[in-house]
Amino acid sequence: MSDPELATKAPESDAMETGAGVGEHCVTDRPNPDDRQPSGEMTKFGDIDVYVSKPGDYPNSPAKLLLLLTPGTGVHSTNNQIQADIFASEGFVVIMPDQFRGDAAPNSKAIPAEEHPSILEQVKLRAAETAKSFLVDMWLARQTPEKVIPILLKVIEAVKDEYADAIAHGEGIYSVGYCFGGKYVIMLAGEHPDTVVAGQPQGDEEVGMVKKGPLIKAGAVAHATLVTREDFKAVQAPLALACVENDPLFPEEILQEGRKQFAASNIKHDIQVYSGVPHGFAVYGDYDSPAIKEAQAAAFQQILTWLKSH
């Protein structure tokens, strides 16, 4: 990001205490290691695009309901759809909504450079990357909780009717979020005033307001971004966190706030920190490094174990 401070000012009131925007892996898909193709289907819940993936034997065999929230690459990303399919193969009816309403992040992947680019080519590349960073910053400024939360609420209301059996089987809704989506899993796991849950700005009128409890039974988050101290202070539902060591998008002070809140509230949690991996490592996609591949598999197993044990 060319200006990480700019990237967080619009979405968060206490942005200076959050990670700096989003990283490359939040807005760009990694290579598809097996050239695998999605097996679920795109549908609509009202006017919201949703990718749905189900276990092969559903509904003959019961399954739990999983709300999967994506990185900036969004619902139409092949990698995200395959990620949903993988969870479906583990016994979940997976609902992955378009939380951006067709406004997924601009592709910020660097243009491949020549081995020895000329001075002119270097200038062009720098200009292109600056323009992309600006577009991502502008995109991020549009993706506020006031915009995203109402979309998630509509989807949750829709699944309560359409997949009541899966929700009943799991005794609630489970949720997993990667990168950008991670913040919203944490929010859904929290207790908030009606104004926040409804996606409306807060004000002095919230004093004395009855708060709503968590909208999910349990959640898991991989390398979240834009998480605030207030997000963690509101958490009431069990959470698992797969974090990246020295992650500027999820600073240590924010993680420590989470640890403190979990301990003070006696909330069930599982925090694992993975070293030597980039932000975004847990999202489906190929890496050359065996160590990153191993960590990716470990993070998925951490999340899956957490979901199945709650």
Side-chain angles (χ1 to χ4, degrees):
M1 287 267 174
S2 58
D3 187 349
E5 184 175 335
L6 172 64
T8 54
K9 277 184 178 177
E12 305 296 346
S13 59
D14 58 347
M16 300 307 293
E17 299 180 352
T18 70
V22 294
E24 176 187 343
H25 298 289
C26 290
V27 297
T28 305
D29 276 338
R30 297 291 303 173
N32 186 336
D34 306 311
D35 199 26
R36 180 173 175 173
Q37 296 303 307
S39 58
E41 62 177 0
M42 289 297 304
T43 185
K44 280 186 176 291
F45 286 179
D47 60 347
I48 300 169
D49 287 338
V50 178
Y51 181 80
V52 179
S53 190
K54 308 171 187 176
D57 54 356
Y58 176 83
N60 294 325
S61 296
K64 297 179 179 180
L65 196 289
L66 177 66
L67 181 68
L68 181 60
L69 304 184
T70 71
T73 44
V75 71
H76 296 288
S77 154
T78 296
N79 285 17
N80 291 339
Q81 291 180 357
I82 293 172
Q83 188 84 68
D85 296 341
I86 294 172
F87 279 111
S89 71
E90 294 290 345
F92 294 90
V93 173
V94 183
I95 307 298
M96 186 170 71
D98 179 9
Q99 61 209 35
F100 309 119
R101 279 196 180 276
D103 184 24
N107 189 320
S108 67
K109 187 176 181 180
I111 299 173
E114 299 175 9
E115 185 176 356
H116 300 290
S118 66
I119 296 297
L120 178 59
E121 288 302 316
Q122 291 180 41
V123 171
K124 288 181 178 178
L125 288 170
R126 284 196 296 268
E129 287 309 303
T130 299
K132 289 174 185 175
S133 294
F134 176 76
L135 288 174
V136 172
D137 287 347
M138 294 299 292
W139 169 81
L140 191 59
R142 297 193 297 270
Q143 310 307 324
T144 63
E146 288 76 24
K147 176 182 176 182
V148 176
I149 288 292
I151 294 172
L152 301 182
L153 292 177
K154 288 182 180 180
V155 171
I156 288 172
E157 286 305 309
V159 298
K160 285 180 180 179
D161 291 331
E162 190 159 348
Y163 295 102
D165 60 326
I167 295 176
H169 179 65
E171 299 181 349
I173 296 173
Y174 295 82
S175 189
V176 173
Y178 292 86
C179 302
F180 183 98
K183 172 185 175 67
Y184 291 90
V185 170
I186 295 173
M187 290 187 73
L188 293 176
E191 181 183 57
H192 295 282
D194 285 336
T195 49
V196 176
V197 174
Q200 300 298 319
Q202 297 184 57
D204 294 338
E205 69 274 8
E206 74 182 69
V207 176
M209 181 177 294
V210 175
K211 290 190 174 184
K212 298 290 186 180
L215 294 173
I216 59 175
K217 180 181 179 182
V221 173
H223 38 69
T225 187
L226 295 172
V227 178
T228 70
R229 287 175 168 82
E230 293 305 314
D231 292 336
F232 271 132
K233 288 178 181 178
V235 169
Q236 295 293 319
L239 275 180
L241 304 178
C243 306
V244 174
E245 187 178 33
N246 299 321
D247 185 356
L249 302 181
F250 190 73
E252 179 64 24
E253 56 266 28
I254 297 296
L255 177 57
Q256 289 306 318
E257 182 66 38
R259 292 183 189 275
K260 183 172 71 174
Q261 292 301 320
F262 293 150
S265 303
N266 199 29
I267 294 171
K268 293 181 180 179
H269 62 280
D270 175 37
I271 299 174
Q272 296 190 34
V273 179
Y274 297 83
S275 60
V277 296
H279 181 94
F281 81 97
V283 178
Y284 177 83
D286 197 19
Y287 287 91
D288 293 333
S289 166
I292 297 178
K293 291 180 179 179
E294 183 178 334
Q296 186 183 67
F300 176 75
Q301 193 58 52
Q302 176 198 355
I303 291 171
L304 184 63
T305 298
W306 179 259
L307 296 175
K308 289 190 172 183
S309 64
H310 289 82

